[in-house]
Amino acid sequence: MNIPSDLKYTKNDEWIKVEGNTGLVGITDHAQEALGDLDFVELPDVGAHFDAEKEIAVVESVKAAADVYAPVAGTVTEVNQAAADAPESVNQDAYAAWLFKMTPDNVADLDKMLDAAAYQAVADAA
């Protein structure tokens, strides 16, 4: 299982990578593996604001559908239409195929998220 050390994680299998004031968000390698071959990605609207841990997107495979939750409170600034157009790209590299970018309301909220080692423990227990 691939868990990059430079990202922050949620217990719900989302990751965020902050670049300046923007966070790239996607689902983890563990999540895409559990779902199987993705065939649909529903992205949020640009400009929409979401509270932390609220449903923000959906990914579907032939096996199941899964909600994607906002890792922190913030506003969506961009979506990755390429991931929606080619959902299999998330299976190929869950960390390159980010789903959306958001501006966190409070960057300090990232400090409350899981690091790679803590997420590894959560994924191993699942």
Side-chain angles (χ1 to χ4, degrees), residues 2-34:
N2 182 17
I3 303 176
S5 61
D6 62 334
L7 306 177
K8 293 288 192 169
Y9 299 89
T10 70
K11 292 178 182 175
N12 294 321
D13 302 312
E14 292 86 20
W15 60 264
I16 186 168
K17 179 178 184 176
V18 176
E19 298 177 339
N21 293 333
T22 301
L24 270 69
V25 180
I27 63 169
T28 64
D29 188 53
H30 173 71
Q32 70 78 23
E33 191 174 284

Side-chain angles (χ1 to χ4, degrees), residues 7 14 51 54 62-63 65 83-84 89 109 112 114 117 120 122 125:
L7 306 177
E14 292 86 20
D51 292 332
K54 297 297 180 187
V62 294
K63 293 197 303 187
S89 65
D109 289 344
K112 301 173 190 169
L114 304 175
Q120 177 77 55
V122 168

Side-chain angles (χ1 to χ4, degrees), residues 45-83:
D45 293 330
V46 172
H49 182 273
F50 292 88
D51 292 332
E53 300 180 9
K54 297 297 180 187
E55 180 186 320
I56 193 168
V58 177
V59 291
E60 294 182 9
S61 70
V62 294
K63 293 197 303 187
D67 293 330
V68 177
Y69 299 95
V72 294
T75 302
V76 176
T77 57
E78 185 179 339
V79 295
N80 186 357
Q81 191 59 47

